[in-house]
Amino acid sequence: IDPSDIGDAQAEMIANRVSAKQMRSVAASMSRSLDVSSKSSDRTLKQSLNSLVYNVQSLMNQYEQLVSQRTVAAKSLEVAETAKQIQQTMEAQGMAVSGDVPSAAAQLASAKSTLSSLDGVLGQLHKNLCYFTGYGNDGNPVIGPVPSADVAAIAAIDVNADKEKAVGNNYELISMRTSTGGGMTDLQVRTTKTTTQTKNKLRNVEYSEDTLRSNIQTLYDTILEQKAAYDSAATALQSAQITWDAAQIQRQNGSLSQIGYLQQELAYLQAQSAFDCADLALQQAMQNYDWAVKGVTVSTE
């Protein structure tokens, strides 16, 4: 065997080993890139899904509050119609005070306008809910009530611990930490040194973390404010219930007129709606806080 042939064979074997090593290195690098890409895609998908669920929940809360307010608006319209009829009867009998009939007509027109506006907004919200939940704009699903706020859960909130959870979970912060520029624009990344980029990234991340902690505190404070409003509305509803119960007895024994009875009913429905809306507002405040802790960016305005 020619010695030169042996040298060439060994050289080829070495070249093959080097080539295989390079291929393994490239494969490992690609695997890491795919893994990072997969995690990033999963995170983006989870972010989009959670943001959608949060927005639909908020939309449903708004819808429910308007449904409660519509009940009051419908009763206000009934009261206004009855008042106008009474004034017209009194006018026919020559007993109406000057200006009472036009005033009753104006109140009726206002009540009709309010109810019509609410119906328009409710119709649009209903379409949006159907669209986001897969029923289509013309869907007609049965929409159940929003669950009441879990008031007992407020006492268990550890706001300081939740601030750190939010910092670790927030999707925008995670993206900022893993990006090259840490929140810098592409132009800034291309025109600054690596060390400067690192410093800017750390500074931007730290600032964003502190801002998020402040937002979590604000969201928690909002829960406490809504809880106070909820308690006040509950007390007002209890008082309205007593008055309404008395009005029903008075109506039965003939000591309360029809218009007086309707006005008392309206007052009760207003108190009930105020409580319902306070409950929904508290529930939404708690949802805002929970979603922010889970990583969704929630506005504090």
Side-chain angles (χ1 to χ4, degrees), residues 2-273:
D2 193 322
S4 63
D5 292 338
I6 296 175
D8 290 342
Q10 289 178 332
E12 184 177 356
M13 290 174 61
I14 293 172
N16 288 337
R17 285 199 297 270
V18 171
S19 177
K21 183 177 181 181
Q22 290 175 336
M23 290 177 66
R24 285 195 297 271
S25 177
V26 170
S29 177
M30 290 178 64
S31 178
R32 288 193 297 270
S33 297
L34 287 172
D35 186 48
V36 171
S37 177
S38 177
K39 289 180 180 179
S40 177
S41 297
D42 289 344
R43 185 169 62 246
T44 300
L45 179 61
K46 185 177 181 181
Q47 177 183 3
S48 299
L49 178 60
N50 286 346
S51 295
L52 177 61
V53 173
Y54 163 68
N55 286 323
V56 172
Q57 284 183 341
S58 300
L59 197 65
M60 182 64 213
N61 193 291
Q62 296 173 34
Y63 179 83
E64 190 74 8
Q65 289 194 45
L66 288 176
V67 167
S68 177
Q69 293 171 18
R70 189 195 184 284
T71 301
V72 175
K75 182 57 63 175
S76 296
L77 178 58
E78 184 181 352
V79 171
E81 288 174 338
T82 302
K84 183 183 178 183
Q85 291 171 4
I86 291 173
Q87 291 302 324
Q88 287 175 333
T89 300
M90 292 178 65
E91 182 182 39
Q93 297 173 350
M95 300 171 59
V97 178
S98 176
D100 283 351
V101 174
S103 177
Q107 290 176 357
L108 177 58
S110 176
K112 286 181 178 179
S113 176
T114 298
L115 185 59
S116 177
S117 295
L118 279 172
D119 283 339
V121 176
L122 280 168
Q124 186 58 54
L125 284 177
H126 188 276
K127 287 184 178 180
N128 291 342
L129 283 169
C130 288
Y131 174 78
F132 284 119
T133 52
Y135 287 96
N137 291 337
D138 298 326
N140 190 31
V142 176
I143 299 179
V146 174
S148 297
D150 185 3
V151 179
I154 298 175
I157 295 176
D158 185 343
V159 66
N160 291 322
D162 286 342
K163 288 177 182 178
E164 302 314 310
K165 289 180 183 178
V167 165
N169 293 336
N170 185 265
Y171 301 116
E172 293 183 3
L173 272 172
I174 292 173
S175 178
M176 184 179 292
R177 294 188 193 102
T178 55
S179 66
T180 302
M184 298 172 62
T185 64
D186 290 339
L187 177 61
Q188 289 173 326
V189 170
R190 289 195 299 269
T191 56
T192 56
K193 297 180 179 179
T194 302
T195 54
T196 303
Q197 292 180 26
T198 301
K199 290 179 181 179
N200 287 344
K201 175 178 178 178
L202 292 174
R203 183 168 58 250
N204 290 341
V205 169
E206 183 179 4
Y207 173 79
S208 297
E209 288 177 348
D210 288 342
T211 299
L212 180 57
R213 291 187 182 96
S214 177
N215 288 345
I216 293 296
Q217 183 65 54
T218 299
L219 291 171
Y220 176 70
D221 292 341
T222 300
I223 291 176
L224 299 183
E225 292 171 2
Q226 295 297 343
K227 175 59 168 60
Y230 171 91
D231 291 339
S232 178
T235 301
L237 178 58
Q238 290 175 354
S239 177
Q241 182 70 63
I242 294 172
T243 303
W244 173 232
D245 290 342
Q248 293 179 75
I249 295 173
Q250 291 173 339
R251 181 60 175 167
Q252 289 174 359
N253 60 31
S255 61
L256 185 63
S257 66
Q258 180 188 10
I259 187 65
Y261 178 79
L262 289 174
Q263 289 172 338
Q264 291 292 344
E265 185 179 8
L266 174 59
Y268 169 73
L269 290 175
Q270 287 172 331
Q272 180 67 64
S273 177

